[in-house]
Structures are given as structure tokens and as C-alpha cells.
Amino acid sequence: MGALADAKAEVKAEIARTDSKASLLLAFNGVALAGVWTLGAQPWVPVAARIVGAGALGVLLASVTLLLLVVRPRISPTAARVGFPHWATLSPEQLTAELAVDCTAAHTVALSRIVVAKMRGLQRAVNLTLATGGPLSAAALITLITAGMR
């Protein structure tokens, strides 16, 4: 029984770590969005750089959307059959009877599915955030080259 309890604790810890990573990346992306928007709005930024920067903004917004989905609470039909979503539908007597039966394995499986979905979303969001480096570098280069031509 110890291995099963350890597995459940590990999965719960992974959910917490994934949510923490997503929150940090949301903050980073928010700062990046604000910075790109502020710089792109300057009158000395060439139109070509703004167009390239707008593409990067779109990718960054897609990353933010994925991150919001990662931290969004998940109460899927599978998860609603075990744990607190299921317990919310029970009377106190039914809950007492339910908790008399060990459902650790079912809880661990449901939580594992949640953490895998969260990690996949986080992975995609990180990839999108990384993908903004190219267009933002190109926009900066366009701006520098254009400024050197003046």
C-alpha cells in the first residue's frame, strides 16, 4: 500500500510543480507582451519591424492562452468519478461509506491523466514562447538596420 500512496503523492506534487511553472511563464510572457507592445508603439520603429513583431505577439498570445488552460481547473467526466468532484455530489452518509473503500488507485490514475495534460500544454506553451525569439530578433535587426540608414 505504501507504493500506491507514494505514487499518489508524487502525482499531486507534479501537478503543483506544473502549475508553478505555468504561473512563472505566464508572468514572463506578460512582461514580454508589455515590453514588445511598448517598443512596437514607438514612432521610430519601422513598419516592417512592427509587422514582424506583430507575428511574434500573436505567437506569444497563443502561448499565454495555453498557459491559462494549464492552470485552469480540470473537472473532466473521468475526474468527476473520483475525489472531491464526486464527493460534492454525495450526502455525508454516502461520503462516509465511499471513504471506507480504498480508491487510491483510481484517484492516482485520474490525477495522472490531469498532470499529463497539464505538462503537454506547458510544453507547447514553452515551445511557442521560444519561437518568438526569432521574429523578435528579426524585428530588432530591421529596426537597427533602418536606423543606420537614416
Side-chain angles (χ1 to χ4, degrees):
M1 189 63 166
L4 191 54
D6 290 346
K8 184 177 179 182
E10 180 182 339
V11 170
K12 289 174 110 177
E14 285 298 328
I15 289 174
R17 278 193 289 276
T18 303
D19 284 347
S20 293
K21 289 176 186 178
S23 296
L24 286 171
L25 194 54
L26 268 169
F28 174 82
N29 283 357
V31 169
L33 282 168
V36 170
W37 186 268
T38 300
L39 284 173
Q42 300 304 311
W44 45 264
V45 175
V47 173
R50 288 181 191 199
I51 291 169
V52 173
L57 275 176
V59 174
L60 209 50
L61 284 172
S63 176
V64 167
T65 301
L66 280 173
L67 291 167
L68 289 171
L69 291 172
V70 166
V71 297
R72 181 176 177 247
R74 295 175 189 262
I75 304 178
S76 66
T78 302
R81 290 192 295 255
V82 296
F84 75 89
H86 174 64
W87 299 335
T89 66
L90 303 177
S91 69
E93 296 78 23
Q94 290 171 318
L95 178 60
T96 302
E98 179 95 13
L99 293 177
V101 178
D102 184 18
C103 296
T104 306
H107 291 164
T108 304
V109 168
L111 290 171
S112 294
R113 289 179 180 146
I114 290 170
V115 78
V116 167
K118 283 177 170 278
M119 284 188 166
R120 283 189 182 134
L122 180 61
Q123 195 174 39
R124 288 181 185 119
V126 168
N127 291 342
L128 286 172
T129 301
L130 289 171
T132 63
L136 290 176
S137 296
L141 189 59
I142 291 167
T143 302
L144 291 173
I145 290 171
T146 305
M149 298 170 80
R150 289 184 196 173

